[in-house]
Amino acid sequence: MVRGTHAAPARLRRRVPGPRPGGLRAGPARGGPGRGPAKPPGSRGAALRHADDAVRRVLPRLAAHDDGFDVRAAEAAWEVCLAAPEWDREPVWIHGDLQPGNLVVDDDGRLVAAIDFGALGVGDPAPDVAPALWTFTGAARETYREAIGYDDTTWRRACGWALAPSLTGIDYYRHTFPRMAEHGRHMVRAVIATLT
């Protein structure tokens, strides 16, 4: 049993805590129990372009509301993400859902575990880079990004994997789960600030 609580940016230490981020990527997808489940189109770890239709459909609906960000700026950020070359190397193991609710920290704010492996598979590592946007702020975000060691194109795809579900989630959760919609707004603002 692992003792700790769900991570929240305020609970995490200012430096990247605990085990080395990106630890799942250290093992080749060819090792272990077979090659691993490949990420199907549209799921985190597949090519980002598969999320484009859903993002394009939601943008006009978001424009009809004041969600605290410029929808045109969100669309421009999305274009930057889509323009990043697709992952063209061997697929890597990814958790696929390293959002704060799936990270467990101890009383000192150190990462002690990740939970919820329902999105586990092999593919583009960008979705596991995205936590830099929704878990860390300021210098801790840059420290995380540097510690995982991926290039700028992976960072842009990671921004896309933070942006796409946030844009669609704002619309989907607006009335049924307002806290999740607010989380999406926060992520959209973070991506816009990072890419524009």
Side-chain angles (χ1 to χ4, degrees):
M1 182 170 141
V2 175
R3 294 188 186 273
T5 61
H6 288 271
R11 289 196 43 79
L12 292 169
R13 297 180 128 197
R14 293 191 183 271
R15 63 180 180 80
V16 177
R20 182 181 185 277
L24 287 175
R25 78 174 169 88
R30 287 177 264 154
R35 182 180 141 93
K39 302 304 288 185
S43 67
R44 284 172 249 152
L48 187 59
R49 63 183 157 80
H50 295 294
D52 190 43
D53 287 344
V55 170
R56 303 283 179 195
R57 279 193 307 269
V58 79
L59 289 171
R61 291 196 299 269
L62 293 174
H65 298 274
D66 179 7
D67 285 305
F69 60 86
D70 181 341
V71 174
R72 290 173 304 221
E75 184 174 15
W78 178 244
E79 294 292 345
V80 169
C81 299
L82 282 180
E86 292 182 6
W87 181 254
D88 62 356
R89 290 172 256 169
E90 286 291 316
V92 298
W93 282 100
I94 63 169
H95 178 278
D97 196 15
L98 291 175
Q99 50 92 9
N102 290 336
L103 302 175
V104 180
V105 296
D106 65 15
D107 290 339
D108 293 326
R110 290 190 174 132
L111 180 65
V112 294
I115 60 173
D116 186 357
F117 286 85
L120 181 71
V122 296
D124 180 353
D128 279 1
V129 178
L133 287 154
W134 58 65
T135 304
F136 303 113
T137 60
R141 181 181 293 162
E142 193 57 33
T143 300
Y144 179 91
R145 183 179 173 190
E146 289 173 12
I148 57 174
Y150 283 112
D151 59 18
D152 287 341
T153 59
T154 302
W155 175 249
R156 290 195 316 267
R157 288 192 314 277
C159 287
W161 282 114
L163 189 58
S166 296
L167 290 168
T168 57
I170 292 165
D171 185 60
Y172 184 81
Y173 293 116
R174 183 178 306 283
H175 302 294
T176 58
F177 195 178
R179 191 177 75 162
M180 184 66 85
E182 185 53 36
H183 172 71
R185 291 180 193 100
H186 175 76
M187 288 305 89
V188 171
R189 289 189 294 269
V191 171
I192 290 170
T194 298
L195 296 179
T196 60

PDB file of all heavy atoms in Angstrom, residues 63-94:
ATOM      1  N   ALA A  63     -16.974  29.584 -28.550  1.00  0.00           N
ATOM      2  CA  ALA A  63     -17.017  31.008 -28.897  1.00  0.00           C
ATOM      3  C   ALA A  63     -18.305  31.668 -28.418  1.00  0.00           C
ATOM      4  O   ALA A  63     -18.350  32.889 -28.241  1.00  0.00           O
ATOM      5  CB  ALA A  63     -16.848  31.192 -30.401  1.00  0.00           C
ATOM      6  N   ALA A  64     -19.341  30.888 -28.168  1.00  0.00           N
ATOM      7  CA  ALA A  64     -20.621  31.429 -27.698  1.00  0.00           C
ATOM      8  C   ALA A  64     -20.633  31.676 -26.195  1.00  0.00           C
ATOM      9  O   ALA A  64     -21.633  32.156 -25.652  1.00  0.00           O
ATOM     10  CB  ALA A  64     -21.754  30.467 -28.078  1.00  0.00           C
ATOM     11  N   HIS A  65     -19.543  31.372 -25.508  1.00  0.00           N
ATOM     12  CA  HIS A  65     -19.454  31.536 -24.054  1.00  0.00           C
ATOM     13  C   HIS A  65     -18.214  32.351 -23.696  1.00  0.00           C
ATOM     14  O   HIS A  65     -17.264  32.419 -24.456  1.00  0.00           O
ATOM     15  CB  HIS A  65     -19.364  30.174 -23.355  1.00  0.00           C
ATOM     16  CG  HIS A  65     -20.546  29.306 -23.569  1.00  0.00           C
ATOM     17  ND1 HIS A  65     -21.667  29.374 -22.779  1.00  0.00           N
ATOM     18  CD2 HIS A  65     -20.802  28.354 -24.508  1.00  0.00           C
ATOM     19  CE1 HIS A  65     -22.563  28.489 -23.201  1.00  0.00           C
ATOM     20  NE2 HIS A  65     -22.058  27.861 -24.250  1.00  0.00           N
ATOM     21  N   ASP A  66     -18.223  32.916 -22.500  1.00  0.00           N
ATOM     22  CA  ASP A  66     -17.030  33.583 -21.982  1.00  0.00           C
ATOM     23  C   ASP A  66     -16.372  32.626 -20.995  1.00  0.00           C
ATOM     24  O   ASP A  66     -16.785  32.520 -19.846  1.00  0.00           O
ATOM     25  CB  ASP A  66     -17.395  34.899 -21.299  1.00  0.00           C
ATOM     26  CG  ASP A  66     -16.180  35.604 -20.719  1.00  0.00           C
ATOM     27  OD1 ASP A  66     -15.038  35.136 -20.955  1.00  0.00           O
ATOM     28  OD2 ASP A  66     -16.357  36.615 -20.028  1.00  0.00           O
ATOM     29  N   ASP A  67     -15.362  31.927 -21.470  1.00  0.00           N
ATOM     30  CA  ASP A  67     -14.656  30.967 -20.629  1.00  0.00           C
ATOM     31  C   ASP A  67     -13.331  31.491 -20.115  1.00  0.00           C
ATOM     32  O   ASP A  67     -12.511  30.733 -19.602  1.00  0.00           O
ATOM     33  CB  ASP A  67     -14.453  29.653 -21.398  1.00  0.00           C
ATOM     34  CG  ASP A  67     -15.744  28.857 -21.504  1.00  0.00           C
ATOM     35  OD1 ASP A  67     -16.348  28.583 -20.445  1.00  0.00           O
ATOM     36  OD2 ASP A  67     -16.142  28.513 -22.628  1.00  0.00           O
ATOM     37  N   GLY A  68     -13.098  32.795 -20.279  1.00  0.00           N
ATOM     38  CA  GLY A  68     -11.886  33.386 -19.735  1.00  0.00           C
ATOM     39  C   GLY A  68     -10.665  33.229 -20.610  1.00  0.00           C
ATOM     40  O   GLY A  68      -9.536  33.374 -20.128  1.00  0.00           O
ATOM     41  N   PHE A  69     -10.848  32.907 -21.876  1.00  0.00           N
ATOM     42  CA  PHE A  69      -9.736  32.853 -22.832  1.00  0.00           C
ATOM     43  C   PHE A  69     -10.293  33.198 -24.204  1.00  0.00           C
ATOM     44  O   PHE A  69     -11.482  33.076 -24.468  1.00  0.00           O
ATOM     45  CB  PHE A  69      -9.044  31.489 -22.851  1.00  0.00           C
ATOM     46  CG  PHE A  69      -9.943  30.333 -23.226  1.00  0.00           C
ATOM     47  CD1 PHE A  69     -10.153  29.985 -24.555  1.00  0.00           C
ATOM     48  CD2 PHE A  69     -10.576  29.596 -22.243  1.00  0.00           C
ATOM     49  CE1 PHE A  69     -10.988  28.928 -24.901  1.00  0.00           C
ATOM     50  CE2 PHE A  69     -11.409  28.535 -22.566  1.00  0.00           C
ATOM     51  CZ  PHE A  69     -11.614  28.205 -23.900  1.00  0.00           C
ATOM     52  N   ASP A  70      -9.404  33.626 -25.079  1.00  0.00           N
ATOM     53  CA  ASP A  70      -9.761  33.982 -26.441  1.00  0.00           C
ATOM     54  C   ASP A  70      -9.791  32.701 -27.278  1.00  0.00           C
ATOM     55  O   ASP A  70      -8.766  32.021 -27.412  1.00  0.00           O
ATOM     56  CB  ASP A  70      -8.717  34.972 -26.987  1.00  0.00           C
ATOM     57  CG  ASP A  70      -8.999  35.443 -28.392  1.00  0.00           C
ATOM     58  OD1 ASP A  70      -9.763  34.794 -29.125  1.00  0.00           O
ATOM     59  OD2 ASP A  70      -8.422  36.488 -28.764  1.00  0.00           O
ATOM     60  N   VAL A  71     -10.948  32.366 -27.810  1.00  0.00           N
ATOM     61  CA  VAL A  71     -11.090  31.138 -28.585  1.00  0.00           C
ATOM     62  C   VAL A  71     -10.194  31.174 -29.826  1.00  0.00           C
ATOM     63  O   VAL A  71      -9.634  30.146 -30.222  1.00  0.00           O
ATOM     64  CB  VAL A  71     -12.569  30.882 -28.961  1.00  0.00           C
ATOM     65  CG1 VAL A  71     -12.714  29.681 -29.887  1.00  0.00           C
ATOM     66  CG2 VAL A  71     -13.393  30.664 -27.691  1.00  0.00           C
ATOM     67  N   ARG A  72     -10.018  32.352 -30.419  1.00  0.00           N
ATOM     68  CA  ARG A  72      -9.119  32.449 -31.582  1.00  0.00           C
ATOM     69  C   ARG A  72      -7.679  32.144 -31.173  1.00  0.00           C
ATOM     70  O   ARG A  72      -6.931  31.510 -31.916  1.00  0.00           O
ATOM     71  CB  ARG A  72      -9.217  33.836 -32.222  1.00  0.00           C
ATOM     72  CG  ARG A  72     -10.546  34.061 -32.934  1.00  0.00           C
ATOM     73  CD  ARG A  72     -10.624  35.481 -33.390  1.00  0.00           C
ATOM     74  NE  ARG A  72     -10.418  36.340 -32.202  1.00  0.00           N
ATOM     75  CZ  ARG A  72     -11.080  37.440 -31.937  1.00  0.00           C
ATOM     76  NH1 ARG A  72     -11.970  37.888 -32.768  1.00  0.00           N
ATOM     77  NH2 ARG A  72     -10.848  38.121 -30.849  1.00  0.00           N
ATOM     78  N   ALA A  73      -7.279  32.570 -29.987  1.00  0.00           N
ATOM     79  CA  ALA A  73      -5.927  32.255 -29.496  1.00  0.00           C
ATOM     80  C   ALA A  73      -5.801  30.759 -29.222  1.00  0.00           C
ATOM     81  O   ALA A  73      -4.752  30.162 -29.478  1.00  0.00           O
ATOM     82  CB  ALA A  73      -5.614  33.057 -28.238  1.00  0.00           C
ATOM     83  N   ALA A  74      -6.863  30.142 -28.713  1.00  0.00           N
ATOM     84  CA  ALA A  74      -6.848  28.692 -28.486  1.00  0.00           C
ATOM     85  C   ALA A  74      -6.723  27.958 -29.818  1.00  0.00           C
ATOM     86  O   ALA A  74      -5.970  26.981 -29.931  1.00  0.00           O
ATOM     87  CB  ALA A  74      -8.105  28.256 -27.746  1.00  0.00           C
ATOM     88  N   GLU A  75      -7.429  28.439 -30.830  1.00  0.00           N
ATOM     89  CA  GLU A  75      -7.331  27.819 -32.149  1.00  0.00           C
ATOM     90  C   GLU A  75      -5.917  27.985 -32.723  1.00  0.00           C
ATOM     91  O   GLU A  75      -5.362  27.051 -33.311  1.00  0.00           O
ATOM     92  CB  GLU A  75      -8.360  28.411 -33.103  1.00  0.00           C
ATOM     93  CG  GLU A  75      -8.380  27.735 -34.453  1.00  0.00           C
ATOM     94  CD  GLU A  75      -9.500  28.235 -35.353  1.00  0.00           C
ATOM     95  OE1 GLU A  75     -10.098  29.293 -35.059  1.00  0.00           O
ATOM     96  OE2 GLU A  75      -9.774  27.557 -36.357  1.00  0.00           O
ATOM     97  N   ALA A  76      -5.325  29.164 -32.547  1.00  0.00           N
ATOM     98  CA  ALA A  76      -3.954  29.396 -33.017  1.00  0.00           C
ATOM     99  C   ALA A  76      -2.975  28.462 -32.300  1.00  0.00           C
ATOM    100  O   ALA A  76      -2.063  27.906 -32.928  1.00  0.00           O
ATOM    101  CB  ALA A  76      -3.556  30.854 -32.804  1.00  0.00           C
ATOM    102  N   ALA A  77      -3.156  28.271 -30.998  1.00  0.00           N
ATOM    103  CA  ALA A  77      -2.301  27.350 -30.244  1.00  0.00           C
ATOM    104  C   ALA A  77      -2.482  25.925 -30.764  1.00  0.00           C
ATOM    105  O   ALA A  77      -1.507  25.171 -30.902  1.00  0.00           O
ATOM    106  CB  ALA A  77      -2.609  27.427 -28.752  1.00  0.00           C
ATOM    107  N   TRP A  78      -3.728  25.543 -31.059  1.00  0.00           N
ATOM    108  CA  TRP A  78      -4.011  24.213 -31.603  1.00  0.00           C
ATOM    109  C   TRP A  78      -3.277  24.015 -32.930  1.00  0.00           C
ATOM    110  O   TRP A  78      -2.718  22.952 -33.193  1.00  0.00           O
ATOM    111  CB  TRP A  78      -5.512  24.020 -31.751  1.00  0.00           C
ATOM    112  CG  TRP A  78      -5.895  22.711 -32.350  1.00  0.00           C
ATOM    113  CD1 TRP A  78      -6.540  22.496 -33.542  1.00  0.00           C
ATOM    114  CD2 TRP A  78      -5.673  21.406 -31.792  1.00  0.00           C
ATOM    115  NE1 TRP A  78      -6.713  21.152 -33.752  1.00  0.00           N
ATOM    116  CE2 TRP A  78      -6.191  20.459 -32.695  1.00  0.00           C
ATOM    117  CE3 TRP A  78      -5.065  20.959 -30.619  1.00  0.00           C
ATOM    118  CZ2 TRP A  78      -6.128  19.093 -32.466  1.00  0.00           C
ATOM    119  CZ3 TRP A  78      -5.005  19.592 -30.388  1.00  0.00           C
ATOM    120  CH2 TRP A  78      -5.541  18.673 -31.305  1.00  0.00           C
ATOM    121  N   GLU A  79      -3.263  25.041 -33.759  1.00  0.00           N
ATOM    122  CA  GLU A  79      -2.556  24.960 -35.047  1.00  0.00           C
ATOM    123  C   GLU A  79      -1.059  24.714 -34.830  1.00  0.00           C
ATOM    124  O   GLU A  79      -0.443  23.937 -35.562  1.00  0.00           O
ATOM    125  CB  GLU A  79      -2.753  26.236 -35.869  1.00  0.00           C
ATOM    126  CG  GLU A  79      -4.181  26.478 -36.321  1.00  0.00           C
ATOM    127  CD  GLU A  79      -4.672  25.476 -37.353  1.00  0.00           C
ATOM    128  OE1 GLU A  79      -3.840  24.742 -37.945  1.00  0.00           O
ATOM    129  OE2 GLU A  79      -5.890  25.418 -37.566  1.00  0.00           O
ATOM    130  N   VAL A  80      -0.485  25.378 -33.827  1.00  0.00           N
ATOM    131  CA  VAL A  80       0.932  25.163 -33.509  1.00  0.00           C
ATOM    132  C   VAL A  80       1.162  23.698 -33.112  1.00  0.00           C
ATOM    133  O   VAL A  80       2.127  23.065 -33.548  1.00  0.00           O
ATOM    134  CB  VAL A  80       1.396  26.118 -32.388  1.00  0.00           C
ATOM    135  CG1 VAL A  80       2.780  25.736 -31.856  1.00  0.00           C
ATOM    136  CG2 VAL A  80       1.377  27.557 -32.876  1.00  0.00           C
ATOM    137  N   CYS A  81       0.251  23.164 -32.309  1.00  0.00           N
ATOM    138  CA  CYS A  81       0.372  21.766 -31.877  1.00  0.00           C
ATOM    139  C   CYS A  81       0.283  20.814 -33.064  1.00  0.00           C
ATOM    140  O   CYS A  81       1.094  19.894 -33.203  1.00  0.00           O
ATOM    141  CB  CYS A  81      -0.710  21.432 -30.858  1.00  0.00           C
ATOM    142  SG  CYS A  81      -0.633  22.407 -29.345  1.00  0.00           S
ATOM    143  N   LEU A  82      -0.704  21.032 -33.921  1.00  0.00           N
ATOM    144  CA  LEU A  82      -0.893  20.159 -35.080  1.00  0.00           C
ATOM    145  C   LEU A  82       0.275  20.223 -36.055  1.00  0.00           C
ATOM    146  O   LEU A  82       0.555  19.255 -36.763  1.00  0.00           O
ATOM    147  CB  LEU A  82      -2.180  20.538 -35.824  1.00  0.00           C
ATOM    148  CG  LEU A  82      -3.480  20.061 -35.226  1.00  0.00           C
ATOM    149  CD1 LEU A  82      -4.642  20.534 -36.086  1.00  0.00           C
ATOM    150  CD2 LEU A  82      -3.512  18.555 -35.069  1.00  0.00           C
ATOM    151  N   ALA A  83       0.940  21.372 -36.119  1.00  0.00           N
ATOM    152  CA  ALA A  83       2.063  21.538 -37.040  1.00  0.00           C
ATOM    153  C   ALA A  83       3.312  20.775 -36.588  1.00  0.00           C
ATOM    154  O   ALA A  83       4.229  20.578 -37.391  1.00  0.00           O
ATOM    155  CB  ALA A  83       2.388  23.021 -37.206  1.00  0.00           C
ATOM    156  N   ALA A  84       3.336  20.348 -35.350  1.00  0.00           N
ATOM    157  CA  ALA A  84       4.495  19.586 -34.860  1.00  0.00           C
ATOM    158  C   ALA A  84       4.546  18.238 -35.576  1.00  0.00           C
ATOM    159  O   ALA A  84       3.523  17.560 -35.703  1.00  0.00           O
ATOM    160  CB  ALA A  84       4.395  19.378 -33.351  1.00  0.00           C
ATOM    161  N   PRO A  85       5.708  17.827 -36.039  1.00  0.00           N
ATOM    162  CA  PRO A  85       5.813  16.516 -36.691  1.00  0.00           C
ATOM    163  C   PRO A  85       5.360  15.400 -35.747  1.00  0.00           C
ATOM    164  O   PRO A  85       5.562  15.464 -34.538  1.00  0.00           O
ATOM    165  CB  PRO A  85       7.309  16.393 -37.000  1.00  0.00           C
ATOM    166  CG  PRO A  85       7.812  17.798 -37.020  1.00  0.00           C
ATOM    167  CD  PRO A  85       6.983  18.548 -36.018  1.00  0.00           C
ATOM    168  N   GLU A  86       4.737  14.382 -36.333  1.00  0.00           N
ATOM    169  CA  GLU A  86       4.289  13.235 -35.542  1.00  0.00           C
ATOM    170  C   GLU A  86       5.491  12.458 -35.017  1.00  0.00           C
ATOM    171  O   GLU A  86       6.586  12.531 -35.564  1.00  0.00           O
ATOM    172  CB  GLU A  86       3.404  12.324 -36.392  1.00  0.00           C
ATOM    173  CG  GLU A  86       2.079  12.958 -36.756  1.00  0.00           C
ATOM    174  CD  GLU A  86       1.178  12.030 -37.565  1.00  0.00           C
ATOM    175  OE1 GLU A  86       1.511  10.842 -37.768  1.00  0.00           O
ATOM    176  OE2 GLU A  86       0.126  12.522 -38.004  1.00  0.00           O
ATOM    177  N   TRP A  87       5.273  11.713 -33.943  1.00  0.00           N
ATOM    178  CA  TRP A  87       6.306  10.850 -33.366  1.00  0.00           C
ATOM    179  C   TRP A  87       6.666   9.803 -34.419  1.00  0.00           C
ATOM    180  O   TRP A  87       5.804   9.052 -34.873  1.00  0.00           O
ATOM    181  CB  TRP A  87       5.758  10.191 -32.101  1.00  0.00           C
ATOM    182  CG  TRP A  87       6.706   9.291 -31.389  1.00  0.00           C
ATOM    183  CD1 TRP A  87       6.677   7.928 -31.360  1.00  0.00           C
ATOM    184  CD2 TRP A  87       7.819   9.675 -30.580  1.00  0.00           C
ATOM    185  NE1 TRP A  87       7.693   7.449 -30.581  1.00  0.00           N
ATOM    186  CE2 TRP A  87       8.412   8.507 -30.092  1.00  0.00           C
ATOM    187  CE3 TRP A  87       8.363  10.901 -30.226  1.00  0.00           C
ATOM    188  CZ2 TRP A  87       9.526   8.504 -29.268  1.00  0.00           C
ATOM    189  CZ3 TRP A  87       9.473  10.918 -29.403  1.00  0.00           C
ATOM    190  CH2 TRP A  87      10.044   9.734 -28.928  1.00  0.00           C
ATOM    191  N   ASP A  88       7.935   9.757 -34.811  1.00  0.00           N
ATOM    192  CA  ASP A  88       8.357   8.846 -35.865  1.00  0.00           C
ATOM    193  C   ASP A  88       9.402   7.839 -35.386  1.00  0.00           C
ATOM    194  O   ASP A  88      10.056   7.186 -36.178  1.00  0.00           O
ATOM    195  CB  ASP A  88       8.883   9.623 -37.072  1.00  0.00           C
ATOM    196  CG  ASP A  88      10.113  10.461 -36.750  1.00  0.00           C
ATOM    197  OD1 ASP A  88      10.524  10.510 -35.565  1.00  0.00           O
ATOM    198  OD2 ASP A  88      10.660  11.069 -37.679  1.00  0.00           O
ATOM    199  N   ARG A  89       9.534   7.724 -34.087  1.00  0.00           N
ATOM    200  CA  ARG A  89      10.467   6.754 -33.518  1.00  0.00           C
ATOM    201  C   ARG A  89       9.691   5.564 -32.979  1.00  0.00           C
ATOM    202  O   ARG A  89       8.468   5.523 -33.063  1.00  0.00           O
ATOM    203  CB  ARG A  89      11.296   7.431 -32.427  1.00  0.00           C
ATOM    204  CG  ARG A  89      12.272   8.445 -33.043  1.00  0.00           C
ATOM    205  CD  ARG A  89      12.949   9.264 -31.999  1.00  0.00           C
ATOM    206  NE  ARG A  89      12.321  10.589 -32.016  1.00  0.00           N
ATOM    207  CZ  ARG A  89      12.509  11.505 -31.105  1.00  0.00           C
ATOM    208  NH1 ARG A  89      13.268  11.273 -30.071  1.00  0.00           N
ATOM    209  NH2 ARG A  89      11.916  12.667 -31.214  1.00  0.00           N
ATOM    210  N   GLU A  90      10.411   4.626 -32.413  1.00  0.00           N
ATOM    211  CA  GLU A  90       9.759   3.459 -31.821  1.00  0.00           C
ATOM    212  C   GLU A  90       8.744   3.926 -30.779  1.00  0.00           C
ATOM    213  O   GLU A  90       9.020   4.849 -30.006  1.00  0.00           O
ATOM    214  CB  GLU A  90      10.793   2.551 -31.143  1.00  0.00           C
ATOM    215  CG  GLU A  90      11.635   1.763 -32.102  1.00  0.00           C
ATOM    216  CD  GLU A  90      10.840   0.697 -32.828  1.00  0.00           C
ATOM    217  OE1 GLU A  90      10.031  -0.005 -32.189  1.00  0.00           O
ATOM    218  OE2 GLU A  90      11.020   0.584 -34.058  1.00  0.00           O
ATOM    219  N   PRO A  91       7.577   3.301 -30.726  1.00  0.00           N
ATOM    220  CA  PRO A  91       6.625   3.662 -29.677  1.00  0.00           C
ATOM    221  C   PRO A  91       7.201   3.331 -28.305  1.00  0.00           C
ATOM    222  O   PRO A  91       8.016   2.419 -28.174  1.00  0.00           O
ATOM    223  CB  PRO A  91       5.392   2.813 -29.984  1.00  0.00           C
ATOM    224  CG  PRO A  91       5.869   1.723 -30.875  1.00  0.00           C
ATOM    225  CD  PRO A  91       7.105   2.212 -31.568  1.00  0.00           C
ATOM    226  N   VAL A  92       6.791   4.093 -27.316  1.00  0.00           N
ATOM    227  CA  VAL A  92       7.275   3.906 -25.948  1.00  0.00           C
ATOM    228  C   VAL A  92       6.085   3.647 -25.026  1.00  0.00           C
ATOM    229  O   VAL A  92       4.942   4.005 -25.331  1.00  0.00           O
ATOM    230  CB  VAL A  92       8.083   5.132 -25.466  1.00  0.00           C
ATOM    231  CG1 VAL A  92       9.314   5.355 -26.324  1.00  0.00           C
ATOM    232  CG2 VAL A  92       7.222   6.385 -25.445  1.00  0.00           C
ATOM    233  N   TRP A  93       6.363   3.026 -23.894  1.00  0.00           N
ATOM    234  CA  TRP A  93       5.326   2.821 -22.896  1.00  0.00           C
ATOM    235  C   TRP A  93       4.893   4.173 -22.339  1.00  0.00           C
ATOM    236  O   TRP A  93       5.744   5.003 -21.999  1.00  0.00           O
ATOM    237  CB  TRP A  93       5.841   1.959 -21.745  1.00  0.00           C
ATOM    238  CG  TRP A  93       5.877   0.505 -22.074  1.00  0.00           C
ATOM    239  CD1 TRP A  93       6.959  -0.216 -22.455  1.00  0.00           C
ATOM    240  CD2 TRP A  93       4.769  -0.386 -22.057  1.00  0.00           C
ATOM    241  NE1 TRP A  93       6.595  -1.523 -22.681  1.00  0.00           N
ATOM    242  CE2 TRP A  93       5.249  -1.654 -22.441  1.00  0.00           C
ATOM    243  CE3 TRP A  93       3.411  -0.235 -21.773  1.00  0.00           C
ATOM    244  CZ2 TRP A  93       4.419  -2.763 -22.539  1.00  0.00           C
ATOM    245  CZ3 TRP A  93       2.590  -1.351 -21.870  1.00  0.00           C
ATOM    246  CH2 TRP A  93       3.097  -2.597 -22.239  1.00  0.00           C
ATOM    247  N   ILE A  94       3.602   4.391 -22.248  1.00  0.00           N
ATOM    248  CA  ILE A  94       3.071   5.601 -21.620  1.00  0.00           C
ATOM    249  C   ILE A  94       1.948   5.228 -20.650  1.00  0.00           C
ATOM    250  O   ILE A  94       1.246   4.247 -20.854  1.00  0.00           O
ATOM    251  CB  ILE A  94       2.555   6.641 -22.644  1.00  0.00           C
ATOM    252  CG1 ILE A  94       1.385   6.094 -23.458  1.00  0.00           C
ATOM    253  CG2 ILE A  94       3.687   7.116 -23.547  1.00  0.00           C
ATOM    254  CD1 ILE A  94       0.675   7.155 -24.284  1.00  0.00           C
TER     255      ILE A  94
END
